[in-house]
Amino acid sequence: MRLAVFGFSCLFLILAGCSTGNAKYGNLVSPPPATGAPVFSPAAGSYNSVQTVSITDPIAGAAIYFTTNGTVPTASSTPYAGPITVSSTETLMAVAIAPGYVSSAVETAAYTISLPPPATAAPVFSPAAGSYTSGQTVSITDATAGAAIYFTRNGTVPTASSTLFTGPITVSSTETLMAVAIAPGYASSTVVTAGYIITPPPATAAPGFSPAAGSYNSAQTVSITDATAGAAIYFTTNGTVPTASSTPYTGPITVSSTEMLMAVAIAPGYASSTVATAAYTITVAPDGKVLHGNTPVSGAHVYLLAANTSGYGNASVSLLNSALTGAFDALGGYVTTAADGSFTISGMYQCTPNTQVYAYALGGNAGSGDNTASGMLAILGNCPQSGSFTINSPFTMNEVTTIAAAYVMAGFANGATHVSSSGTPLAQTGIAHAFGNVVNLADSTTGAALTATPAGNGAVPQSEINTLANMLAACIGLTSSNSCSSLFENATADGTASGAQPTDTATAAINIAHHPGANVAELYTLGSAALTFTPALSQQPNDFSVAVNFSVPNSTWAGNSEAIFQGAHQIAVDAGGNVWIAGFSTSTAYGLMKLSTLGAVLSPPDGYMGGGPSSPNGVAVDLSGNVWVTNPAFGVNTTVTVSEFSNTGAPLSPSTGFVPNNPQLGVAIAIDAQGNAWLPYGFGVAELSPAGEMITSNPGTSGIRTPTGLAIDANNNLWLATGFPQQTGFFYEFSSSGAAINPPTLGKYSCGVAPGGEDETEGVAIDASGDLWSVGSEGFAKESATPIPPCSGTGGGFVYQIEDRGGDVAIDGDGNAWIISGSGGNGTLSEFSNSGSPISPSNGFVGILYEPITLNGYAVVSFADLAPDSSGNLWVIQQLYTGDYSHQMPYSFYAKEFIGISAPVVTPLSAGVKNHTLGSRP
């Protein structure tokens, strides 16, 4: 078999011409050699750029064939004719065939091409980089769609974290911008740099103003000049920056009120100047006239004075510049009235902004010869930061404006030339509101007493003011030889016959305002002798307190009067002088009322609602100015709830009020030094956080009826009136943690009337010494830890009632106690010194409008609750019964403001607790 095969093979080879090379068998043919394998250059591999691949073969004359699609190359494949461009990943396969050679082995070369993305086009700056004589607004664009451009101005290379170009860039000085563009799917562009050299022309000199900016008390004529020759000046007066399009300056500008001038200068070949600004504050005092009635007072010395802020009792500050007026004396510079009573003070004074200013005219001739006792006043008010006083020009100084000024500033005045305060923020607020109150009493232009306040809801006792003015007019006009002496004898500094007599009518008016219950008959007789001002009172009044009655919207109440808890303090004054009144009603929903310092109603017609109020009763103001009210268990309320409002009347408590459904809460409320609210709770006390959460509750000891009076002293201890009936005492003390203190720290020494077993103590108050004042139906009591003088606890108009309810009490800045007797009587208003001596007349103070009266033994008009303010005014709730007097229903109430009758006091009460200033002047 092997031979046969061999023989066949040999035969085949012989036939093919081959030779075995074996002599034995003859010569055989050898096979051709294989063509050398192709060689790729560069070699197969991974590249990040396009490759140009050459294929060579070591056999000369070899033809190379290749494929790029993975098929094995043959002589029928693409012949290699030159370098192959490989721009993406692919595999080359090649075979070489040379004549006389068999085909080479197939060679394979795989190329992996990972090309980077194309670069974003380079950004382009416009205008191009270069040198310029003015600032340039440079835009940057890019040719690649969707490219974002980032730039820098500080020499750092920009990246995607740099500032994004969103709009033209202002290049106002030499600087270099660098930018890079980045588009989706593209690599970042090259960074392009553009340097801008800004060489501006020299600037025009800045304009100058003459006179210079500043405060002036007369109109100014202002010139604007510029040091650059040929410069044009442009200016504005409305606060806008001037340009070449603004008003060109052609001559002096008259600045007659506070104004800001701004100017720019532009000269040919120069850049615009910097903008110059000049602010002119023009504070112009109005001119006036001094009249006795309608008769001019000539030759009077007119002084412009400001309230001193360095302490109570100090002399007023003279404002007129004697070098400009040409006249001065011990009081300071003054101007003299002309034959028609006129005077001019414009440009002759300077005042400190926010001090209170008034005019004082002394002496002069009203037609009966020179009268050195003639003294008249007019309130100018707040010295403005800018502009003019709000008083009209010319203003009138006469007997009516003197009475109005004397009463409104009584709390700060010791005489016509001694008006002052402590200078604290609250004192400045108080005296500003006091001076501002003059607009409710008299017209500064005509000098006439008003019948209604400018807001329209206040009734002004015009006849009483005119009667008071007639007392002064009798002296100023020298009605009789003893007109002045009669006035001065009955208008002494302390209201007594032995007191220091005034020397002019203005100081006499202030003394009457201080002691409105003194020598009423004598003063009325003097004021009735000559009716310079009409209408006047037709009969002698109870006293000469001046009170304005403010009506309160929708205040009619139809229910039993026992619902009115006088000791719960239904009225309170905040730090801004606003008056808050709990508008109690059992017949309709009624909210919290707010009056401004001028008595204008600031709350809605039905009061501030929301936050759970339903006919609120007790009211207290915290240190943040928020107002807390209690809602008694009447109408929709089955228990007492508590509501809280912001100072603007926004409800801060939920719709149900705080602590709903708690049957032990009482209606009195007070705020401690931490801003927490305290209420009677059962027979003890409860404490609410500023958020209205109950944090302390001590139900106390059985036997004490739920109290209606509550006060907090400077040690944060609480004092409660025990209510009715009396059992173990008529007042109790609790610590700041709510724990009962027994025995109380006060009461070792006392004076006044201790309530009987069936008398109800309601109002309580703490004075500056920490003593406790409480009011029962039979009188008041004062409790102390140290010896005090004896006092009767009655008098001064206090209405004595057995087995009835007490009233309300408040302490003013001089420590005097203001007391309203219980509603079982007439609800009269009485004043007592801090030692307990009565100051008010035997019928109390009543004011003129709606005097407390009775019918069939029951009160028809009576006072309820009260609160002194920081301006020296006393605010009182006055009830006017219009129905069945035997049951005292229905009724409406008024807010009655006794002008200047009390000493200014720290408000609110919580501030007195916090700062240990209860019963103290601010």
Side-chain angles (χ1 to χ4, degrees):
M1 179 66 73
R2 178 179 295 174
L3 291 176
V5 171
F6 175 79
F8 175 78
S9 300
C10 186
L11 178 61
F12 177 79
L13 293 172
I14 294 171
L15 291 175
C18 65
S19 174
T20 65
N22 189 325
K24 182 179 180 178
Y25 299 104
N27 291 325
L28 299 176
V29 178
S30 298
T35 306
V39 176
F40 295 89
S41 178
S46 295
Y47 297 91
N48 55 14
S49 62
V50 174
Q51 298 297 303
T52 301
V53 180
S54 297
I55 310 176
T56 57
D57 195 85
I59 303 301
I64 301 173
Y65 302 89
F66 71 96
T67 63
T68 60
N69 59 1
T71 59
V72 176
T74 65
S76 299
S77 298
T78 302
Y80 174 78
I84 304 165
T85 299
V86 179
S87 59
S88 61
T89 296
E90 67 181 340
T91 298
L92 300 181
M93 300 179 70
V95 64
I97 304 173
Y101 290 82
V102 298
S103 298
S104 71
V106 174
E107 289 295 321
T108 299
Y111 294 89
T112 301
I113 306 299
S114 300
L115 294 177
T120 307
V124 176
F125 292 88
S126 178
S131 296
Y132 298 90
T133 59
S134 62
Q136 299 296 303
T137 300
V138 178
S139 296
I140 313 176
T141 57
D142 196 86
T144 303
I149 301 172
Y150 302 89
F151 70 96
T152 61
R153 310 176 73 157
N154 58 3
T156 60
V157 176
T159 66
S161 299
S162 300
T163 303
L164 176 66
F165 176 79
T166 57
I169 304 165
T170 299
V171 179
S172 55
S173 60
T174 297
E175 69 177 321
T176 297
L177 301 181
M178 300 177 73
V180 66
I182 303 173
Y186 290 80
S188 298
S189 73
T190 56
V191 173
V192 179
T193 299
Y196 294 86
I197 300 172
I198 308 298
T199 308
T204 307
F209 297 88
S210 179
S215 296
Y216 298 91
N217 51 29
S218 62
Q220 299 296 301
T221 301
V222 180
S223 297
I224 312 177
T225 57
D226 197 85
T228 303
I233 301 173
Y234 303 88
F235 72 97
T236 61
T237 60
N238 60 0
T240 59
V241 176
T243 66
S245 300
S246 300
T247 303
Y249 174 79
T250 57
I253 304 164
T254 299
V255 179
S256 57
S257 61
T258 294
E259 191 168 48
M260 177 180 288
L261 300 182
M262 300 177 74
V264 65
I266 305 173
Y270 290 80
S272 297
S273 73
T274 56
V275 173
T277 300
Y280 294 87
T281 300
I282 309 297
T283 307
V284 180
D287 297 325
K289 52 186 175 180
V290 180
L291 302 176
H292 157 55
N294 292 318
T295 303
V297 178
S298 62
H301 293 180
V302 179
Y303 305 86
L304 192 64
L305 305 175
N308 198 313
T309 59
S310 62
Y312 293 96
N314 289 327
S316 303
V317 178
S318 176
L319 300 179
L320 290 179
N321 186 337
S322 60
L324 298 177
T325 65
F328 69 95
D329 57 21
L331 294 179
Y334 63 84
V335 295
T336 303
T337 58
D340 62 355
S342 65
F343 61 89
T344 297
I345 55 178
S346 296
M348 298 181 180
Y349 74 97
Q350 284 189 329
C351 61
T352 302
N354 298 321
T355 55
Q356 303 308 310
V357 181
Y358 66 101
Y360 173 48
L362 184 62
N365 184 350
S368 300
D370 290 337
N371 185 354
T372 58
S374 174
M376 286 190 267
L377 301 168
I379 298 290
L380 274 67
N382 191 61
C383 176
Q385 290 278 2
S386 61
S388 302
F389 287 91
T390 56
I391 191 171
N392 292 327
S393 180
F395 66 94
T396 294
M397 297 177 68
N398 65 6
E399 292 88 348
V400 167
T401 65
T402 302
I403 291 297
Y407 273 78
V408 299
M409 67 185 188
F412 302 89
N414 283 0
T417 60
H418 285 70
V419 181
S420 60
S421 73
S422 68
T424 66
L426 182 58
Q428 292 307 290
T429 297
I431 194 171
H433 291 158
F435 273 54
N437 220 3
V438 76
V439 300
N440 277 351
L441 301 182
D443 186 313
S444 64
T445 302
T446 65
L450 301 179
T451 58
T453 59
N457 67 315
V460 183
Q462 182 189 57
S463 296
E464 181 190 14
I465 293 173
N466 285 340
T467 298
L468 288 162
N470 288 336
M471 300 174 197
L472 309 186
C475 172
I476 293 172
L478 296 175
T479 301
S480 68
S481 59
N482 65 345
S483 296
C484 292
S485 60
S486 296
L487 174 63
F488 297 161
E489 288 168 1
N490 292 288
T492 60
D494 62 3
T496 68
S498 60
Q501 293 186 14
T503 58
D504 72 283
T505 53
T507 299
I510 293 171
N511 291 346
I512 295 171
H514 286 163
H515 306 284
N519 306 316
V520 174
E522 293 81 1
L523 291 171
Y524 176 73
T525 299
L526 182 62
S528 303
L531 298 182
T532 304
F533 298 93
T534 58
L537 294 176
S538 59
Q539 61 183 18
Q540 177 184 319
N542 176 79
D543 60 86
F544 281 113
S545 59
V546 172
V548 179
N549 267 47
F550 295 99
S551 60
V552 180
N554 300 326
S555 62
T556 300
W557 170 71
N560 190 289
S561 67
E562 290 298 316
I564 305 302
F565 301 100
Q566 290 173 296
H569 295 302
Q570 292 175 266
I571 185 168
V573 180
D574 64 22
N578 300 306
V579 181
W580 297 84
I581 301 173
F584 183 82
S585 171
T586 59
S587 58
T588 59
Y590 204 70
L592 176 66
M593 306 304 298
K594 180 182 182 181
L595 305 184
S596 73
T597 59
L598 295 177
V601 178
L602 302 179
S603 49
D606 288 330
Y608 292 120
M609 304 294 285
S614 176
S615 301
N617 201 287
V619 57
V621 182
D622 66 22
L623 294 170
S624 298
N626 296 332
V627 184
W628 296 71
V629 295
T630 56
N631 308 294
F634 288 105
V636 298
N637 287 348
T638 57
T639 62
V640 173
T641 61
V642 180
S643 300
E644 182 184 7
F645 294 84
S646 72
N647 201 262
T648 59
L652 302 178
S653 49
S655 60
T656 57
F658 294 134
V659 289
N661 305 317
N662 193 315
Q664 299 199 73
L665 288 175
V667 295
I669 188 167
I671 309 295
D672 67 15
Q674 284 71 46
N676 299 324
W678 289 85
L679 294 86
Y681 184 72
F683 307 116
V685 292
E687 179 185 15
L688 304 185
S689 72
E693 300 172 345
M694 186 174 288
I695 54 180
T696 300
S697 58
N698 175 11
T701 303
S702 178
I704 311 173
R705 186 189 180 200
T706 301
T708 54
L710 170 64
I712 301 177
D713 65 22
N715 295 318
N716 244 21
N717 291 338
L718 291 87
W719 296 87
L720 298 182
T722 58
F724 172 88
Q726 304 293 332
Q727 295 207 5
T728 58
F730 60 90
F731 67 91
Y732 287 85
E733 181 182 11
F734 294 82
S735 71
S736 59
S737 64
I741 299 176
N742 194 18
T745 57
L746 301 178
K748 182 178 180 181
Y749 301 93
S750 63
C751 75
V753 178
E758 295 188 5
D759 293 326
E760 183 172 353
T761 303
E762 287 200 338
V764 289
I766 304 294
D767 66 19
S769 299
D771 294 339
L772 173 71
W773 295 72
S774 62
V775 183
S777 61
E778 299 178 33
F780 70 85
K782 179 181 179 182
E783 310 295 331
S784 180
T786 58
I788 57 176
C791 65
S792 67
T794 58
F798 190 97
V799 177
Y800 177 92
Q801 293 286 320
I802 300 176
E803 299 180 357
D804 212 309
R805 298 169 52 230
D808 199 13
V809 58
I811 310 298
D812 71 15
D814 286 343
N816 293 343
W818 292 87
I819 293 175
I820 293 176
S821 54
S823 64
N826 285 345
T828 54
L829 173 65
S830 303
E831 180 186 12
F832 297 87
S833 70
N834 194 256
S835 63
S837 299
I839 296 174
S840 48
S842 59
N843 290 326
F845 290 120
V846 299
I848 297 299
L849 299 172
Y850 306 124
E851 299 182 25
I853 58 175
T854 60
L855 181 63
N856 299 328
Y858 290 92
V860 177
V861 180
S862 66
F863 297 134
D865 294 80
L866 76 170
D869 67 17
S870 61
S871 299
N873 307 312
L874 186 71
W875 292 82
V876 180
I877 293 178
Q878 186 167 39
Q879 303 166 347
L880 175 63
Y881 296 96
T882 57
D884 181 355
Y885 303 124
S886 64
H887 293 88
Q888 302 181 15
M889 67 184 215
Y891 82 88
S892 57
F893 69 81
Y894 297 82
K896 194 179 190 84
E897 181 187 19
F898 285 86
I899 307 295
I901 199 171
S902 65
V905 71
V906 171
T907 59
L909 280 173
S910 56
V913 173
K914 171 77 172 179
N915 301 318
H916 294 251
T917 51
L918 285 168
S920 301
R921 286 177 176 256

